[in-house]
Every structure is written in structure tokens, then in C-alpha cells.
Amino acid sequence: MNFTLRLATPADAPSLRMLGLQVFLDTYAPDGVCDALAREAEETFSSSRVSGWLADPASALLVAAHATGLTGFAHLAHGASHPLVRGQAPTELQRLYVRRPFLGQGLGRALLLRAEQLAAERGAGVLWLTAWVGNARALAFYARQGYSDVGASDHVFEGQRFENRVFAKPL
């Protein structure tokens, strides 16, 4: 597959927003979209939120671009910590999203490796993330990439709790 990895620019905001919504719903609502999940998706990928990520100096977004547009992205939050994560200068991988047609082609791995490099270049000693327990593909992927499961953490929205696993890898 031919794609390029690069840092996102403000011009990428509309595509990042739609890509994020698409992958979010493909992952978390494979059987249908309920109102609470729709509100969570709208809030997470609102225009102002995505623009805020792009403007935040503690944030970095890597995009995978294909001839026809964006196919995936990785979102880093430098300095973000978690009580279960040990290590100097942690960085959180907040999202690693790849469009369904591009899964299994090495794109996620390429984005992850570049995200690890970028985090290390910015002084991170550990990269960590959370993955929903219902996403078996992601859980297996991070384990294969050398990430250790360090415990559970809940994601809560609209009073509902969703268990996530916390993964970390020293850089």
C-alpha cells in the first residue's frame, strides 16, 4: 500500500474529524448507534475539539495519507499521565485510528512506530494508551507490538462505564 506519514496541519481538520467519526462508530457501534454513543462521537470529534488538538503544543497528530485522502491517524498527548503507568515523562497515545479497508496492511504498525519515535524525540520515557475490552483486535495488536497490560481503567460517559485496559511501553 502506498501511503505517507506526516504531521497533521490545520487544513486536515475536516478529514480528521470525519475519519475519527467513521472509525469510532465502526469500532464502538457495529450493531447500531444509540443516542448516548452518537452524542459521545459528536463531542469527541467536534470541529472545535479537533482544531484544539491541532493547536495544542502538547498534542501531536500523525496522519497516514493515501492518494485519495487520509486513511489513519495517531494522536499523542505529551505529558499526559495515568496512575497505573510508571516511567519518566509519559506520553499518551490517545487514538490510533485506521479505516477498516486498510486494516491488516501494516498501516497501524507504521503509525505506531512513528508515534513512538515522535514521543521519544520529545523526551518521553514511556508511551501508554487505553484500549476498550470489547476491541479484541486492538488488545492483540498492542500486545504484539511489545506493550504490557498494566491494569484496568474505566471510560465513563452519560453515567455508563466501559472497561478499558491500560497498556504501556518504555521507549
Side-chain angles (χ1 to χ4, degrees):
M1 175 173 69
N2 294 326
F3 59 85
T4 58
L5 300 181
R6 61 174 173 79
L7 288 173
T9 68
D12 293 315
S15 294
L16 281 166
R17 184 173 181 276
M18 290 300 110
L19 174 61
L21 280 168
Q22 183 179 44
V23 174
F24 182 95
L25 293 173
D26 283 349
T27 302
Y28 300 111
D31 298 324
V33 180
C34 67
D35 290 344
L37 196 59
R39 286 187 292 273
E40 176 75 357
E42 282 183 324
E43 181 181 325
T44 300
F45 296 102
S46 69
S47 295
S48 62
R49 175 84 55 97
V50 173
S51 293
W53 298 338
L54 290 163
D56 183 355
S59 181
L61 282 102
L62 297 166
V63 295
H66 188 263
T68 58
L70 300 185
T71 56
F73 72 95
H75 179 193
L76 296 168
H78 302 289
S81 62
H82 190 284
L84 295 174
V85 176
R86 303 219 186 320
Q88 294 291 340
T91 290
E92 180 184 8
L93 178 64
Q94 291 190 330
R95 284 167 199 83
L96 178 63
Y97 280 12
V98 175
R99 286 197 56 233
R100 189 173 302 274
F102 298 93
L103 292 174
Q105 297 181 36
L107 181 56
R109 186 170 188 278
L111 277 165
L112 182 60
L113 288 173
R114 183 64 188 112
E116 290 172 354
Q117 291 170 347
L118 184 58
E121 288 168 7
R122 292 195 180 185
V126 62
L127 186 63
W128 68 276
L129 61 105
T130 60
W132 175 49
V133 297
N135 189 346
R137 179 186 286 269
L139 298 173
F141 171 76
Y142 292 115
R144 284 193 313 272
Q145 304 311 310
Y147 284 76
S148 298
D149 183 331
V150 297
S153 180
D154 287 338
H155 178 72
V156 180
F157 67 91
E158 295 197 13
Q160 298 178 39
R161 295 186 174 280
F162 298 89
E163 183 183 348
N164 287 277
R165 300 306 302 174
V166 180
F167 287 86
K169 181 179 180 181
L171 299 176

